Amino acid sequence: MKKVAVIMGSDSDLPVVEKCLNQLKKLDIPYEAHIISAHRTPMLAHDFASNAKANGFGVIIAAAGKAAHLAGVLAAYTTLPVIGIPIKSSTMDGLDSLLSMVQMPSGIPVATVAIDGAQNAALLAAQMLALSDETLAGKLEAFKAEMEAGVIEKDRKLNESL
């Protein structure tokens, strides 16, 4: 199975990104996590993204706040799918991060989840990898069935209490 790269612009992003890492673990998806800044370490970002496919990665997830250019910079140097996690910050409640990720120029796509939507980033990466991995596809189907059962159980409890 291909690995997922989880790149944070700063260690301050880790509390949000942990939800992504936990979901990848639950699905037994191998991953590496790194701190790479689009602005402070641009050559490192270039080198990582340029070599990601050759290094066994299938998807890159990039989490950043404020001037959240990390996902776009990584996407510029790879043909792998890049998923952005805009991090909520003290500036504009993360709207600035979200807009930095979704307003990409033609030719440099970045799939973007909700502000602080780290779990969904992991699930989207899993769905991408599952296109060529039936075992992973089965795990995702089981995950969705568990969610469905949980909602049905909550509905049952609600109606019992009314």
Side-chain angles (χ1 to χ4, degrees), residues 67-153:
H69 300 130
L70 181 60
V73 168
L74 296 172
Y77 294 111
T78 186
T79 58
L80 293 177
V82 176
I83 303 167
I85 305 171
I87 302 294
K88 183 177 180 178
S89 64
S90 59
T91 308
M92 300 176 66
D93 284 332
L95 183 59
D96 52 339
S97 306
L98 175 65
L99 293 175
S100 292
M101 289 184 188
V102 298
Q103 295 296 337
M104 293 300 299
S106 295
I108 310 295
V110 171
T112 306
V113 296
I115 296 168
D116 290 352
Q119 182 185 19
N120 273 352
L123 291 168
L124 182 56
Q127 289 174 329
M128 291 172 176
L129 294 174
L131 291 171
S132 60
D133 186 321
E134 289 300 318
T135 301
L136 182 55
K139 290 177 183 180
L140 287 167
E141 289 169 12
F143 174 78
K144 288 199 174 203
E146 288 174 27
M147 284 194 306
E148 179 184 24
V151 171
I152 291 169
E153 179 61 17

